[in-house]
Amino acid sequence: MFDFLSRILGGKSRPGGPGSKSLAKERLKLALACDRVDVSPQMFEGLRVDLARAVSKYVEIDEAGMKLRFDSSDRRLALVASVPVIGMRRGSEAARRSKDRR
Amino acid sequence: MEGRVIVVTSGKGGVGKTTAVANIGCGLASRGKKVALVDADIGLRNLDIVLGLENRIVYDIVHVIEGKCRLRQALIRDKRLQTLFLMPAAQSRDKEAVQPEQMKQLTRTLAHEFDYVVIDCPAGIERGFKNAIAGADEAVIVTTPEVSAVRDADRIVGLLETQGVSGPRLVINRLRPEMVKRGDMLNVDDVIDILAIDLLGVVPDDESVITSTNKGEPVVLDGASRAGEAFRRIAARIDGEDVPFMSMEAGGFWSRLKRFIGMGM
Ligand SMILES: Nc1ncnc2c1ncn2[C@@H]1O[C@H](COP(=O)(O)OP(=O)(O)OP(=O)(O)O)[C@@H](O)[C@H]1O
Ligand SMILES: [Mg+2]
């Protein structure tokens, strides 16, 4: 009985999944993230290659598994990188540098 | 004391900027404030007809800027409210007839004499937009709870920031509570979450906006209208009063029944 009433009166969500607004919100979030960043694919690729090169000086990475994205939640932009590490480099640049400093 | 210059803008067209300017203006003037409304939508003059002042125009904003008349001569006093004035847009010119610097000077001059100068910005982000925001201290962004309007509003937030107009506040217009309840329309929290700016007010989609516009009487002057009440609160908030947000329950029979049987949200 309650179910029936709820259906004819239109409850919070419709049977068969959420209303179209969740889709609207998801699509908007994605569109705005891209709008706000406004970087060209070439620049993005350049950033990825340079970043991989820099990180590789210190640790051995799986470059193919590297993920890079901009996050613009909270109206502030963050560059979020996930870089799978295969192993540490012995006698790496980093180790040499810290020795120099000492 | 120097008045506040507030631009009402949106990016997307037809979301309710002119309606908001007319109602905010009448709302502030009803509170006893001296208000000048500036129609910056040159070539597509509308604020005059929404306010019911279309038959009184002799001079317009371009005449003032080109020095063909004095500022005072172009200002039209409202029929109902003694402290409300309109600076009409030119109808037979285009947006290029005005430079941002001239607009800035004009609104600053008005701010010497009025408590509030409220500017009706045209749609878009080109010259008309740049003119309208040139002299603004503050901005009110109008959107509807739809993807295209919200996306354009986000662009405007970014552009205002780069132009140095900070802290814009948001009016969500034409909200339909029954669609929100069904999950078929972005709700207030969704829009605020996405745009990350402060909320100034929420105006329901309401037929009385159209009937009152038909008569040239802003809905804020209609004590029985829901949209009118929403605009009264918006004007009060602009004027520095801390008023609670209106409940957006659909006021009809079904929602009363739902509340009665305990299903209301
Ligand atoms: N809350 C509302 N409920 C119902 N109708 C509304 C509401 N707000 C605005 N409207 C209607 O929507 C239409 C567009 O409004 P308005 O002219 O204020 O938009 P605008 O943003 O100034 O448009 P433009 O970009 O062309 O200048 C008008 O017909 C107006 O009556
Ligand atoms: Mg308009």
Side-chain angles (χ1 to χ4, degrees), chain A residues 26 29-39 44 47 67-82, chain B residues 193-194 196:
Chain A
E26 282 322 301
K29 278 192 160 168
L30 209 67
L32 294 198
C34 297
D35 290 356
R36 285 174 191 171
V37 173
D38 194 28
V39 291
F44 202 75
L47 179 61
K67 287 197 190 80
L68 202 60
R69 69 183 167 85
F70 282 103
D71 184 287
S72 61
S73 46
D74 203 26
R75 284 215 82 78
R76 216 176 276 157
L77 201 60
L79 177 61
V80 184
S82 158
Chain B
D193 182 30
I194 291 166

Side-chain angles (χ1 to χ4, degrees), chain B residues 17-18 41 46 120:
Chain B
K17 293 177 292 297
T18 302
D41 202 346
N46 268 162
D120 186 9

Side-chain angles (χ1 to χ4, degrees), chain A residues 2 5-6 9-14 19-21 24-25 28-29 31-32 35-36 75, chain B residues 147 150-151 154 157 181-187 190 193-196 254 258 261 263:
Chain A
F2 186 79
L5 255 184
S6 151
L9 294 176
K12 273 181 209 171
S13 66
R14 185 186 287 170
S20 56
K21 82 105 188 228
K25 193 171 180 184
L28 253 175
K29 278 192 160 168
L32 294 198
D35 290 356
R36 285 174 191 171
R75 284 215 82 78
Chain B
V147 287
V150 174
R151 186 185 195 179
D154 190 72
V157 175
K181 254 180 214 179
R182 242 194 278 143
D184 272 330
M185 181 176 268
L186 293 167
N187 64 32
D190 293 329
D193 182 30
I194 291 166
L195 292 178
W254 288 116
K258 273 195 273 185
I261 61 176
M263 292 172 56

